[in-house]
Amino acid sequence: MSQLFVRTLRDDPNDAEVPSHRLLVRAGYIRRAAPGIYTWLPLGLRVYRNVERIVREEMDAMGAQELQFPALLPKEPYEATNRWEEYGDGIFRVKDRKGADYLLGPTHEEMFTLTVKDLYSSYKDLPVWLYQIQTKYRDEARPRAGLMRGREFVMKDSYSFDTTDAGLEASYQAHRAAYIKTFDRLGFDYVIVKATAGAMGGSKSEEFLAKLDVGEDTFVQCTNCDYAANVEAVTVPAPASQPYDDAPAAHAEETPNTPTIDSLVAHLNKAFPREDRAWTAGDTLKNVLVMLKHPDGTREPLAIGLPGDREVDQKRLEGQLEPIEVEPMNEAELKSFPDLVKGYIGPAVLGEQAATGIRFLVDPRVVEGTRWVTGANVDGQHVIDMVAGRDFTPDGTIEAAEVRDGDTCPQCQEGFVSAARGIEMGHIFQLGRKYAEALDLKVLDENGKLVTVTMGSYGIGVSRAVPVIAEGNHDELGLCWPREIAPADVHVVAAGKDAALFEAAEKLSADLAAAGVTVIYDDRAGKISPGVKFKDAELIGVPTIVTVGRGLADGVVEVKDRRTGERQDVAVADAAVRIAEIVRA
Amino acid sequence: MSQLFVRTLRDDPNDAEVPSHRLLVRAGYIRRAAPGIYTWLPLGLRVYRNVERIVREEMDAMGAQELQFPALLPKEPYEATNRWEEYGDGIFRVKDRKGADYLLGPTHEEMFTLTVKDLYSSYKDLPVWLYQIQTKYRDEARPRAGLMRGREFVMKDSYSFDTTDAGLEASYQAHRAAYIKTFDRLGFDYVIVKATAGAMGGSKSEEFLAKLDVGEDTFVQCTNCDYAANVEAVTVPAPASQPYDDAPAAHAEETPNTPTIDSLVAHLNKAFPREDRAWTAGDTLKNVLVMLKHPDGTREPLAIGLPGDREVDQKRLEGQLEPIEVEPMNEAELKSFPDLVKGYIGPAVLGEQAATGIRFLVDPRVVEGTRWVTGANVDGQHVIDMVAGRDFTPDGTIEAAEVRDGDTCPQCQEGFVSAARGIEMGHIFQLGRKYAEALDLKVLDENGKLVTVTMGSYGIGVSRAVPVIAEGNHDELGLCWPREIAPADVHVVAAGKDAALFEAAEKLSADLAAAGVTVIYDDRAGKISPGVKFKDAELIGVPTIVTVGRGLADGVVEVKDRRTGERQDVAVADAAVRIAEIVRA
């Protein structure tokens, strides 16, 4: 410890939002270099390397082959797949001295595809599974939580290449199994959920989410069946269409000062009470106007109709539209459509064929025959008994409404979903033939015919795993690393001032090292009190803390389990052997 | 081999200039992604990792601590040391979505300095030696020779921090010793030479050059003493000044049509013959005009006076002026100085105080009292008996003249230097206090006084080592890796069609793997002939090639040493044991 390049901090760093970030900085594992860009100090690098080793071992064990692409990549392959444009502000772009365009790779589908095309030409070469563990770059709009969402980070990305759909499914399942082994070894609590493919394209996709309250993702699980999905991937089951032969004609009514759902519902119950049941927000159709911002910067309006008891979930909405970003419609844009009356917007003016020409997509619950109270496009008026499919026809449906605890499970339709937070640690995709087609990756099949290859893409957030593991392995005193991840096996504390004590501690550390046990030895003398040393040991979080202190007079050292706090005295004479056993248990 | 992601090529790639580049591409170790930017295929990555491991082991063994900075770095620290500007076109610059400036780190002095400043505050913390093995970026004007001069490459860079000059010297020597161990293990022929500090600043500096004819650097060694230096660092010993009391006054003479040194010497010997000896080029003073291009783009003229028998060595000149680049003076620029008469330029109009105002630096050999024939600044005229210090006074001296085989050794001044080519594999610098001063890195000394820290900077070209080792370890058939670097220990070839033969080869491979020997097993069946397999094995260059072929009928396999070509038959029964012994010998 007197030589280790580390300084622990008593106070939390100002910019740390989550416990793992606070503790990794305080315990001297990482330092911020720029927003979303971090330095691994020696302790942090050791932990990171342990994670990397586990990931590599499991990838090798499944039979994937490691290679390494550059991080600085030419533009052309990304143009061929349109991602040069689609990524928009999300990537770092670089010009070289000759003015040629490059990007810092956010993910490498294009490069892998081109390299397989370069080397392989026959179905006999396939399947092949290739991976790299590599520094990646994304210019995140909002980097946060230290290493959890950084702008420079390390990913393990792998890719499978097959000729058949069945082959792709097998490659996908092999990766899924390897990921389960990997995440089990990394020692955090996770759930596998259905996911959207987003900007990657492709069809089937699942995420491995670490269950963490500080996570950015929301996922739902069913109380009854095995359904689990990222909320972005939840598809609301459309109810059956309803008969509406006996529905009264739609009728506009005066509803003064009711620009909000709450004020509208209150007014309905007062002015137009129903006999069978009160009006609720769920009886109203809310029409939300947003602007879609395309990667090339152009903006386009969109109207979303959804039951008044639900909000638009921005992440779900953007999940459907990626790489398009969604922004609110501003006042000027609203005013450019004179048919839109704020607070009283209704379907009559919405849709590509209607007065405004604004594309109008509705929640899947808005099926034919459902009746709604909705805006009349006149200030202070709403229409009652507005029937979908009779009085208005949307341009389509969209999954934009929030998912709530207690919603019916989309899979079994019996249980109810409950939501929790998580963070993406792994993502597996069946990309299909999108990239192979764009880059013309074909091989000869058994009959000598050229066939387009089908691909899978699989990622693990390697550097992210460090804060995620820390998040799940700490207490009020500091970090408590799982043994396979810890920066050392044992933290030996020389607690006292006696020279004999330092000698004994040093000998024990040397004996442990000789036995292949990695040791952090706190040899600091002078003004550093035993209390400070203990605090540092707890903060740093090595799993076994050995104190060489007062007990030495009685021939014992104290061995403490950092996580449980259990202590035991061990005879100095066989301390190294006993501690090595504990470490290997 | 049927599954390994590799394809060997029979033909040389078009862009490969040197043997290592040709062979690494042909044998399937690397692929070009963009100019100066390469992908490591699985075989290449294994070799690269072996190099990295050796470098890391030796850095750890010397007591240096590993950490890892980001590659994407904020501008500010590099502005504080002026390198943001000095690097000019030589670095990749990036703007993030908010318009903030970043660079892709070419070297990390600033970041290390700031981090030590962040963590440390006392002389007791020092010395500290820190290193990283990291991907670096330089926007080279002329990337070449594959991985030898790339734009994305891996360096091990380390930095030492001391309070005293003696401490810095000790840190420097410790790195020097570790580098000797490292390069000895990497297995290539190298020489340690004096070097210039270049853009890094600082004083003492040495380079470890791999001796290679394809290298970009020229170094000289003395035939008599231990002097060795990069030509850029050679300092020409200035002769003693000479008496010139008896020298005739300088006299301009008609020398029509003598704009070149050769034509001038011929004319002198014809029109002004000397009795004691003939005129030679060494009697003339040549004045070369160049333009200095500063990193900010401004251009400034410089005149260099040197004996007419020597050319200006651009690399030596730029080595003195870094980060300034040197370009020829163009016609328009020449014409802007009416006093300059092309072919007849002389010192009378040169110098900051003279008519042109052009800074005038001379070769160290042009000492006071030396007599020269030089331009008279009149078309067709030269001045004879022009005495330095009497008839002209330069603004200073500069090491810009070429160094030639046979020049007197600057150190012992008895032997002669001889030149050879090499490529920089390591560079060690005593930076001194330049960076610590710029970034205000101070610690408290024994007396509680703040002192500025003194630093060393030490680099190894980790990815470059792969082609350098390949360059020194190949023959006409392919690569011949040193054992510690090779992508595998043994290459087993199943040479034939018999199923029993494949069984035996597979069992042998499995037995070797079980004994901890890494194996490439060529299991390819079908149309791949034994000849093709042997060619691939020779090309890939694993040190031991085992053939399971015809000998199997007699109960033997053939074990061949790739480098020497020696073959021996080994009984199948104990082949795995015997081969493991050979591998470990």
Side-chain angles (χ1 to χ4, degrees):
Chain A
M1 280 294 282
S2 68
Q3 283 159 40
L4 187 64
F5 191 59
V6 63
R7 270 299 171 277
T8 56
L9 306 175
R10 292 290 152 247
D11 298 319
D12 287 336
N14 293 330
D15 62 338
E17 306 144 56
V18 300
S20 62
H21 188 192
R22 281 200 292 276
L23 289 171
L24 289 170
V25 172
R26 279 188 48 206
Y29 284 71
I30 60 170
R31 278 292 182 277
R32 198 184 87 129
I37 303 179
Y38 287 82
T39 299
W40 295 107
L41 295 177
L43 284 178
L45 189 60
R46 290 194 206 177
V47 166
Y48 164 76
R49 284 269 162 73
N50 287 335
V51 171
E52 189 186 282
R53 177 179 46 76
I54 291 170
V55 171
R56 178 172 289 120
E57 283 173 4
E58 293 301 334
M59 291 309 296
D60 290 343
M62 76 169 278
Q65 299 181 59
E66 187 175 5
L67 40 68
Q68 179 121 46
F69 282 95
L72 185 62
L73 299 171
K75 171 181 66 170
E76 292 70 20
Y78 287 79
E79 277 191 327
T81 59
N82 208 32
R83 292 210 292 183
W84 174 258
E85 187 186 317
E86 284 178 3
Y87 272 118
D89 284 344
I91 55 170
F92 292 100
R93 294 157 201 269
V94 185
K95 267 192 200 300
D96 75 2
R97 60 162 70 212
K98 291 181 177 161
D101 284 312
Y102 289 79
L103 70 160
L104 295 179
T107 170
H108 280 65
E109 279 73 9
E110 286 82 353
M111 301 306 292
F112 276 87
T113 306
L114 287 172
T115 302
V116 171
K117 182 180 170 182
D118 176 15
L119 267 65
Y120 278 177
S121 57
S122 161
Y123 75 98
K124 290 183 202 159
D125 299 325
L126 304 183
V128 66
W129 302 334
L130 302 172
Y131 79 99
Q132 62 177 350
I133 295 179
Q134 216 236 9
T135 305
K136 305 221 180 280
Y137 297 86
R138 293 192 192 161
D139 195 359
E140 297 283 351
R142 286 169 296 276
R144 65 177 282 277
L147 295 163
M148 282 212 200
R149 180 164 293 279
R151 301 197 294 170
E152 173 172 326
F153 55 96
V154 178
M155 252 180 75
K156 187 286 298 174
D157 49 333
S158 42
Y159 305 87
S160 66
F161 298 85
D162 284 273
T163 46
T164 66
D165 293 349
L168 170 56
E169 177 65 23
S171 294
Y172 180 90
Q173 292 302 335
H175 275 86
R176 194 177 194 276
Y179 275 34
I180 289 172
K181 282 188 194 161
T182 305
F183 294 130
D184 285 350
R185 280 180 73 184
L186 289 178
F188 55 80
D189 195 15
Y190 67 93
V191 56
I192 306 174
V193 303
K194 287 185 206 303
T196 55
M200 307 293 303
S203 51
K204 187 169 170 181
S205 147
E206 288 170 290
E207 283 171 339
F208 292 71
L209 297 181
K211 294 185 186 174
L212 283 183
D213 290 341
V214 301
E216 296 174 325
D217 283 292
T218 305
F219 66 94
V220 295
Q221 286 181 292
C222 177
T223 52
N224 181 51
C225 72
D226 65 356
Y227 181 77
N230 191 310
V231 285
E232 293 181 23
V234 169
T235 49
V236 173
S241 59
Q242 296 176 18
Y244 52 86
D245 292 347
D246 60 345
H251 44 106
E253 301 291 349
E254 291 293 331
T255 56
N257 299 318
T258 56
T260 65
I261 297 295
D262 283 350
S263 57
L264 172 62
V265 169
H267 182 84
L268 288 171
N269 282 316
K270 207 172 118 197
F272 311 96
R274 287 197 297 204
E275 283 179 13
D276 53 345
R277 59 200 164 89
W279 296 100
T280 68
D283 295 315
T284 69
L285 182 70
K286 173 159 68 177
N287 300 293
V288 178
L289 281 145
V290 297
M291 296 301 289
L292 307 187
K293 190 182 157 199
H294 292 267
D296 65 4
T298 58
R299 290 163 69 92
E300 175 196 1
L302 174 70
I304 300 162
L306 71 168
D309 60 344
R310 297 203 181 243
E311 300 299 326
V312 168
D313 179 329
Q314 173 109 354
K315 284 191 75 175
R316 263 169 66 72
L317 176 56
E318 289 189 330
Q320 313 296 312
L321 298 170
E322 242 180 286
I324 293 166
E325 291 175 24
V326 178
E327 296 180 352
M329 183 178 268
N330 63 37
E331 287 294 322
E333 286 164 335
L334 193 67
K335 280 188 182 144
S336 72
F337 296 97
D339 294 305
L340 298 179
V341 180
K342 200 178 168 186
Y344 302 90
I345 297 168
V349 301
L350 300 173
E352 290 172 353
Q353 310 303 326
T356 60
I358 297 174
R359 192 168 159 74
F360 180 45
L361 302 176
V362 297
D363 186 79
R365 294 171 189 87
V366 186
V367 291
E368 190 183 356
T370 49
R371 303 181 201 182
W372 306 94
V373 180
T374 189
N377 303 303
V378 174
D379 190 65
Q381 287 193 12
H382 281 86
V383 184
I384 301 179
D385 289 321
M386 188 89 167
V387 175
R390 181 189 73 180
D391 303 323
F392 67 98
T393 307
D395 297 316
T397 61
I398 190 163
E399 293 283 355
E402 61 182 326
V403 175
R404 283 201 305 248
D405 274 3
D407 282 353
T408 304
C409 171
Q411 182 170 285
C412 67
Q413 306 219 12
E414 289 179 16
F416 304 99
V417 301
S418 73
R421 305 284 283 177
I423 184 162
E424 183 183 335
M425 278 301 308
H427 203 157
I428 53 179
F429 288 101
Q430 294 193 7
L431 290 180
R433 296 181 171 82
K434 171 180 167 174
Y435 291 89
E437 267 161 15
L439 298 165
D440 197 32
L441 169 57
K442 292 187 170 123
V443 296
L444 292 170
D445 71 5
E446 291 93 328
N447 309 312
K449 228 184 67 184
L450 279 172
V451 293
T452 301
V453 168
T454 181
M455 293 168 55
S457 161
Y458 316 91
I460 290 179
V462 182
S463 50
R464 176 180 283 178
V466 175
V468 164
I469 296 167
E471 201 65 47
N473 293 277
H474 68 85
D475 58 22
E476 66 287 0
L477 300 174
L479 297 156
C480 315
W481 294 108
R483 199 163 276 292
E484 211 180 351
I485 306 295
D489 296 316
V490 176
H491 193 126
V492 175
V493 176
K497 299 203 163 183
D498 215 11
L501 184 150
F502 278 87
E503 260 169 53
E506 189 163 340
K507 181 173 183 312
L508 176 58
S509 299
D511 290 349
L512 285 168
V517 174
T518 55
V519 178
I520 294 175
Y521 166 38
D522 196 343
D523 61 338
R524 289 176 295 174
K527 287 181 196 156
I528 311 284
S529 73
V532 167
K533 292 185 179 183
F534 291 139
K535 273 215 171 93
D536 279 346
E538 306 277 12
L539 181 59
I540 288 171
V542 167
T544 303
I545 300 172
V546 177
T547 305
V548 182
R550 281 182 212 149
L552 196 63
D554 306 321
V556 296
V557 299
E558 184 195 271
V559 179
K560 179 174 154 185
D561 185 287
R562 167 67 184 89
R563 188 181 297 266
T564 64
E566 279 172 53
R567 296 155 194 263
Q568 53 178 307
D569 282 347
V570 171
V572 177
D574 55 10
V577 174
R578 281 293 313 282
I579 293 166
E581 283 169 9
I582 290 169
V583 166
R584 278 163 199 148
Chain B
M1 281 293 282
S2 67
Q3 283 158 41
L4 186 63
F5 190 59
V6 65
R7 271 297 172 277
T8 57
L9 305 175
R10 292 292 153 244
D11 298 319
D12 287 335
N14 293 330
D15 62 338
E17 306 143 58
V18 300
S20 63
H21 188 193
R22 281 200 291 277
L23 289 170
L24 289 170
V25 172
R26 279 189 48 207
Y29 283 72
I30 60 169
R31 279 291 182 278
R32 198 183 88 129
I37 303 178
Y38 287 82
T39 299
W40 295 106
L41 295 178
L43 284 178
L45 190 59
R46 289 194 208 176
V47 166
Y48 164 77
R49 285 269 162 73
N50 287 335
V51 171
E52 189 186 282
R53 178 179 45 75
I54 290 170
V55 172
R56 179 173 289 120
E57 282 173 5
E58 293 301 334
M59 292 308 297
D60 289 345
M62 75 171 276
Q65 299 181 59
E66 187 176 5
L67 40 67
Q68 178 120 47
F69 282 95
L72 185 62
L73 299 171
K75 171 181 64 170
E76 291 71 21
Y78 287 79
E79 276 192 327
T81 59
N82 208 32
R83 293 211 292 183
W84 174 258
E85 186 186 317
E86 284 179 2
Y87 272 118
D89 284 345
I91 55 170
F92 291 100
R93 294 157 199 270
V94 185
K95 268 193 200 298
D96 76 1
R97 60 162 70 212
K98 290 181 178 162
D101 284 312
Y102 289 80
L103 70 160
L104 296 179
T107 170
H108 280 66
E109 279 73 11
E110 287 81 353
M111 302 306 292
F112 276 88
T113 306
L114 288 173
T115 303
V116 171
K117 181 180 170 182
D118 176 16
L119 266 65
Y120 278 176
S121 57
S122 161
Y123 75 98
K124 291 183 199 160
D125 298 325
L126 303 183
V128 65
W129 302 335
L130 302 172
Y131 79 100
Q132 63 177 349
I133 295 178
Q134 216 235 11
T135 305
K136 305 222 180 278
Y137 297 85
R138 292 191 193 162
D139 195 0
E140 296 284 351
R142 287 169 295 276
R144 66 177 281 276
L147 295 163
M148 282 210 199
R149 181 164 293 279
R151 301 198 293 170
E152 173 171 326
F153 55 96
V154 178
M155 254 181 74
K156 187 286 299 175
D157 49 331
S158 42
Y159 305 86
S160 66
F161 298 85
D162 284 273
T163 47
T164 66
D165 294 348
L168 169 57
E169 177 65 22
S171 294
Y172 180 89
Q173 292 301 337
H175 275 86
R176 195 176 193 276
Y179 275 33
I180 289 172
K181 283 188 195 163
T182 305
F183 293 130
D184 285 348
R185 280 180 72 185
L186 288 178
F188 55 81
D189 195 16
Y190 67 93
V191 56
I192 307 174
V193 302
K194 285 185 207 304
T196 55
M200 307 294 305
S203 52
K204 187 168 171 181
S205 147
E206 288 170 291
E207 283 171 339
F208 292 71
L209 296 182
K211 293 184 186 174
L212 282 184
D213 290 340
V214 301
E216 297 173 324
D217 283 291
T218 305
F219 66 93
V220 295
Q221 286 182 291
C222 177
T223 52
N224 182 51
C225 71
D226 64 356
Y227 181 75
N230 192 310
V231 285
E232 293 179 26
V234 170
T235 49
V236 174
S241 58
Q242 297 176 17
Y244 53 86
D245 292 348
D246 60 347
H251 44 106
E253 302 289 351
E254 290 294 332
T255 56
N257 300 317
T258 57
T260 65
I261 298 293
D262 283 350
S263 56
L264 173 61
V265 169
H267 183 85
L268 289 171
N269 281 316
K270 206 172 118 194
F272 309 95
R274 288 196 298 202
E275 284 179 12
D276 53 345
R277 59 199 164 90
W279 296 100
T280 67
D283 296 315
T284 69
L285 181 70
K286 175 159 69 178
N287 300 293
V288 178
L289 281 145
V290 297
M291 297 300 291
L292 307 187
K293 190 182 156 199
H294 292 268
D296 65 4
T298 58
R299 291 163 70 90
E300 176 196 0
L302 174 70
I304 301 162
L306 72 168
D309 61 343
R310 296 201 183 244
E311 299 299 324
V312 168
D313 179 328
Q314 173 107 357
K315 283 191 77 173
R316 263 169 67 71
L317 176 56
E318 288 189 331
Q320 313 297 312
L321 299 170
E322 243 179 286
I324 292 167
E325 291 175 24
V326 177
E327 296 181 352
M329 182 179 270
N330 62 37
E331 287 294 323
E333 285 163 337
L334 193 66
K335 281 190 179 140
S336 73
F337 296 98
D339 295 304
L340 298 180
V341 181
K342 200 178 168 187
Y344 302 90
I345 297 168
V349 301
L350 300 174
E352 290 172 353
Q353 309 303 326
T356 59
I358 296 174
R359 191 168 159 76
F360 179 45
L361 302 176
V362 297
D363 186 79
R365 295 172 188 88
V366 186
V367 291
E368 191 182 356
T370 49
R371 302 180 203 182
W372 305 94
V373 179
T374 188
N377 303 303
V378 175
D379 189 65
Q381 287 193 13
H382 282 85
V383 184
I384 301 180
D385 289 321
M386 187 87 168
V387 175
R390 181 189 75 178
D391 303 322
F392 67 98
T393 307
D395 298 316
T397 61
I398 189 162
E399 293 283 355
E402 60 181 327
V403 175
R404 284 202 304 249
D405 274 3
D407 282 353
T408 305
C409 170
Q411 182 171 285
C412 66
Q413 305 218 13
E414 291 179 15
F416 303 99
V417 301
S418 73
R421 307 283 283 176
I423 183 162
E424 183 182 337
M425 277 302 308
H427 203 157
I428 53 179
F429 288 100
Q430 294 193 9
L431 289 180
R433 296 181 172 80
K434 172 180 166 175
Y435 291 89
E437 266 160 15
L439 297 165
D440 198 32
L441 169 58
K442 293 186 169 125
V443 296
L444 292 171
D445 71 4
E446 291 92 327
N447 309 312
K449 226 184 68 186
L450 278 173
V451 293
T452 301
V453 168
T454 181
M455 292 169 55
S457 162
Y458 316 91
I460 290 178
V462 182
S463 51
R464 174 179 284 178
V466 174
V468 165
I469 296 167
E471 201 64 48
N473 293 277
H474 68 86
D475 59 22
E476 65 287 0
L477 300 173
L479 297 156
C480 315
W481 293 109
R483 199 164 277 292
E484 211 180 351
I485 306 296
D489 295 316
V490 176
H491 192 127
V492 174
V493 176
K497 299 202 164 184
D498 215 12
L501 186 152
F502 279 87
E503 259 169 51
E506 187 163 341
K507 180 173 184 313
L508 175 58
S509 301
D511 289 350
L512 285 169
V517 173
T518 54
V519 178
I520 294 175
Y521 166 39
D522 195 343
D523 62 338
R524 288 176 295 175
K527 288 181 197 157
I528 310 286
S529 73
V532 167
K533 291 185 180 184
F534 292 138
K535 274 214 172 91
D536 279 346
E538 307 276 12
L539 181 59
I540 289 170
V542 167
T544 304
I545 300 173
V546 177
T547 304
V548 182
R550 281 183 211 148
L552 195 62
D554 304 321
V556 296
V557 299
E558 184 195 89
V559 179
K560 180 173 154 186
D561 185 289
R562 168 67 185 89
R563 188 183 296 268
T564 64
E566 279 173 53
R567 298 155 193 263
Q568 54 178 307
D569 281 346
V570 171
V572 176
D574 56 9
V577 174
R578 282 292 313 284
I579 293 165
E581 283 168 8
I582 291 168
V583 166
R584 281 169 196 140

